[in-house]
Amino acid sequence: MALAFAALALVPASAAAQARGPFAGKILIGDLTQRTGAGGGSIMTDSTSHAVETTVRAINEAGGVTVKGKRYELAYKGIDTRGEPAATLAAAKEIIADGATAVLLPSFATEVAYRALSDARIISFGAAPRVTNPLMIEGPQKHPYLFGTVELAQPVISGWLGGIKQHFPNARRVAALNYTDPGGKFMTAAVQAAAKQHGLEFVGAEMVDVSTTDFSGPLTTLKGKNPDIIYIGTQAQVLSATRQAVQLKAGSVLWNYTMRPVDLKQIGPLGSSSLVLADFRAPFTEGLTPPEFLKAATLFGRMKSGEPAQVGIAAAYYDFIQLLARAIEKAGTVDDNTAIAKALEGASYEGSFGRAQILPNHTLRGPIGLIIADSSNVSIHVYKDVESSITPSISSIKVKNGWSQ
């Protein structure tokens, strides 16, 4: 069966890199993200794929990866797995046959892809809870080829909620709207645990199928619980759910990790609601970037759709691919994935977005951020890492809200 969106991108090097002579070979980075189907085509999934391809290009333009005096070109291949187990397994087998060194896992049918890639000793990476859960439950010893491009969901959500609490000190009650799939259930449990950690009351959750587009029923139920903060985890339909929550005045603070400020145009007037757009990295965006990060924020340009990338999550993937390239050089091999995975452990560098480091649990730590929008203003707050969100931000900027008018 032919798979949709199978494309190999051998990104050309810059003129300066070409002047150093031809590459000795290619190192393949695969991408099994769902572009269509369940959970496909979301801002999050499009931004992650765009970030991986952009980083491959940046590394090639800088001269590629040097191993034992020879330069190698990174190659990128994306296959649309559509959120379907059969298509995902077929794509994993294809990318294995192609000789990939590392592969971005999909957030749907994750286990199907990971089992095949792990058996083939191919490095797998991603940010979804279904990617990082094995690292939390069983540890990297049992999953030596698995890496999270962000920290585990629990500390990240706790960090986000700690920052929210600083900005909304009168908030006391927390609720959640999420999917019934394993990722949604896990994230909801993480929200409940974070609420307890920060001395807040978790008043309940409403769980919906991934195909849901009308959230008025579950949001009305949540509104009846009188929450101050509602976590909205319906990634594929986050705009619809957030818009309906604003219209229903379901909670005074509506929190998600998928939206960008530009998406506020699709929400409409916020009225008395405040939106918190959290991100696994500092969520820089056009018109809302502290001066010291302006150069970094332009790295990703525009996606193929013409839309700006969600820079926060894109930065996490940028950092991981940069660290992977350095690990290949440190390991001194392009063929031994065991040695490359070992070289990734504890790897760190000072990147365009701040310090990034692979933790002992194989997850990637770096700066995180919150964007807070109300009817008047939009502000960004950058924190050193998830443990620092209860302290003053290391950088922030506020502008007039011209998106929600």
Side-chain angles (χ1 to χ4, degrees):
M1 177 181 68
L3 293 171
F5 199 79
L8 182 63
L10 302 179
V11 183
S14 64
Q18 291 174 348
R20 302 187 187 104
F23 288 108
K26 296 178 174 66
I27 301 168
L28 179 59
I29 309 297
D31 177 359
L32 303 185
T33 301
Q34 64 278 1
R35 309 294 179 91
T36 59
S42 71
I43 298 162
M44 182 75 74
T45 55
D46 288 351
S47 294
T48 56
S49 294
H50 178 72
V52 173
E53 191 169 5
T54 298
T55 315
V56 165
R57 181 180 298 107
I59 291 172
N60 286 341
E61 289 177 347
V65 178
T66 301
V67 177
K68 295 181 178 178
K70 296 180 179 180
R71 296 189 308 112
Y72 291 83
E73 182 178 21
L74 294 184
Y76 168 88
K77 181 173 182 176
I79 304 175
D80 181 5
T81 53
R82 306 189 298 276
E84 300 171 1
T88 300
L89 180 58
K93 289 180 177 179
E94 180 179 333
I95 213 78
I96 291 169
D98 288 337
T101 295
V103 177
L104 168 57
L105 290 168
S107 55
F108 285 77
T110 310
E111 298 80 5
V112 172
Y114 174 58
R115 281 195 297 269
L117 294 167
S118 179
D119 289 344
R121 297 185 178 182
I122 291 176
I123 294 168
S124 301
F125 62 95
R130 294 175 77 166
V131 174
T132 57
N133 276 354
L135 294 172
M136 179 189 68
I137 296 169
E138 298 178 313
Q141 296 79 13
K142 289 192 175 182
H143 301 277
Y145 303 100
L146 181 63
F147 290 84
T149 56
V150 297
E151 290 194 60
L152 297 173
Q154 179 58 59
V156 171
I157 286 181
S158 179
W160 287 339
L161 190 53
I164 293 170
K165 185 179 177 182
Q166 299 304 307
H167 290 281
F168 301 95
N170 294 324
R172 295 288 183 270
R173 297 162 63 84
V174 181
L177 172 69
N178 221 325
Y179 288 140
T180 55
D181 73 333
K185 292 177 180 177
F186 181 81
M187 294 293 270
T188 298
V191 172
Q192 183 174 6
K196 182 178 180 181
Q197 179 181 346
H198 292 290
L200 304 174
E201 180 185 0
F202 185 77
V203 298
E206 286 293 305
M207 311 298 287
V208 299
D209 186 78
V210 69
S211 63
T212 302
T213 57
D214 182 359
F215 300 93
S216 58
L219 283 170
T220 298
T221 299
L222 288 179
K223 181 178 179 180
K225 300 178 184 293
N226 195 31
D228 299 304
I229 302 170
I230 299 179
Y231 170 79
I232 299 176
T234 55
Q235 180 179 319
Q237 293 291 337
V238 70
L239 297 179
S240 296
T242 302
R243 185 186 309 113
Q244 293 172 42
V246 169
Q247 293 168 348
L248 289 168
K249 299 181 180 179
S252 58
V253 180
L254 306 173
W255 158 35
N256 69 69
Y257 68 93
T258 304
M259 285 178 57
R260 307 156 298 175
V262 68
D263 299 313
L264 293 170
K265 294 178 180 179
Q266 300 186 55
I267 303 301
L270 298 183
S272 60
S273 300
S274 293
L275 267 55
V276 176
L277 317 181
D279 212 325
F280 298 94
R281 283 291 188 275
F284 305 125
T285 192
E286 293 177 2
L288 192 65
T289 302
E292 63 267 36
F293 292 107
L294 279 173
K295 183 177 180 180
T298 62
L299 277 172
F300 302 106
R302 297 265 176 175
M303 297 188 291
K304 293 176 182 177
S305 64
E307 290 286 316
Q310 186 185 24
V311 175
I313 191 64
Y317 283 88
Y318 179 90
D319 284 341
F320 181 80
I321 299 300
Q322 290 284 355
L323 287 170
L324 175 64
R326 287 162 170 77
I328 293 170
E329 293 182 337
K330 179 181 178 181
T333 177
V334 297
D335 302 311
D336 187 347
N337 285 351
T338 301
I340 295 170
K342 197 70 178 175
L344 264 173
E345 296 178 354
S348 65
Y349 87 126
E350 290 290 341
S352 300
F353 302 95
R355 181 173 175 78
Q357 179 181 10
I358 302 288
L359 299 177
N361 62 10
H362 280 202
T363 64
L364 180 58
R365 169 169 287 186
I368 67 166
L370 300 174
I371 289 174
I372 299 176
D374 58 29
S375 59
S376 300
N377 301 300
V378 180
S379 59
I380 183 173
H381 306 270
V382 183
Y383 303 92
K384 178 183 175 182
D385 52 44
V386 298
E387 296 178 348
S388 304
S389 65
I390 60 173
T391 63
S393 59
I394 60 173
S395 184
S396 66
I397 190 172
K398 180 187 289 187
V399 300
K400 182 179 179 180
N401 186 354
W403 292 283
S404 298
Q405 306 308 314

